[in-house]
Amino acid sequence: MTRIVAGFAGSLTLTVPAKGTRPTSDQVREALFNALDARDAIRDYRVLDLYAGSGALGLEAASRGARVVTLVENGFAASQTCRKNAAAVQKAAPKGQALAITVSNQAVQSFLAATPDGFDLVFLDPPYELSEAELAANLVALSPLLDRDALVVVERSSRSPEPAWGPGLELERRKDYGDTTLWYAGVPSPS
């Protein structure tokens, strides 16, 4: 069972696609969001959740105060699940809270090539079998869309190598949780 951990939608149960996704465990999600809360990296942010699956990462951010959340999922069934979960989170939002959640049913690379939007916080939780080359291409395409103080979090198998960040990102930290590794990267400060 996947649920929202905290915020206005805390304890809300999320629907998970029947197949084709690997939801982030509640333990990893809770640790991730505790780290983000500690650095004040959610409230009023514009959040992008790539390879969204059920939308749990982006919707957790929405519940904790993100202003705009975009969920990108190529699988049709999974994108429908994202829409259902997004509607449930929006229904739980306090009256008058400005919250925009959109779901884009398209390939990540296509979305990144077409969006003019900028983002403060980005989650990439691709299938573990996604090639390192494709992940690197995602990161290169993402880089121009990031605001100056943006943070990117990549979830991979602990057996995967460090992502190839490209010119617009640099590693800040790595955190392991059993078979899962979270990689945190930021936009380098201008020299």
Side-chain angles (χ1 to χ4, degrees), residues 46-49 58-59 61-62 66-71 99-102:
R46 291 161 300 151
V47 176
L48 177 61
D49 185 353
L59 298 174
R67 178 171 37 99
V68 175
V69 175
T70 303
L71 309 174
L99 171 62
I101 303 173
T102 58

Side-chain angles (χ1 to χ4, degrees), residues 143 146-152 168-170 172 185-190:
S143 186
L146 298 173
D147 286 345
R148 185 173 34 110
D149 295 323
L151 180 65
V152 175
L169 290 166
E170 63 183 22
E172 289 186 6
V187 176
S189 299

Side-chain angles (χ1 to χ4, degrees), residues 28-42:
V28 172
R29 220 164 1 96
E30 186 169 10
L32 165 62
F33 280 92
N34 286 342
L36 294 173
D37 279 338
R39 61 190 287 169
D40 197 25
I42 300 171

Side-chain angles (χ1 to χ4, degrees), residues 9 45 58 84 90 118 120 124 128 133-134 170 184:
Y45 271 34
K84 179 180 177 184
Q90 284 188 301
D120 305 299
L124 282 100
Y128 282 174
E134 191 169 349
E170 63 183 22
Y184 296 76

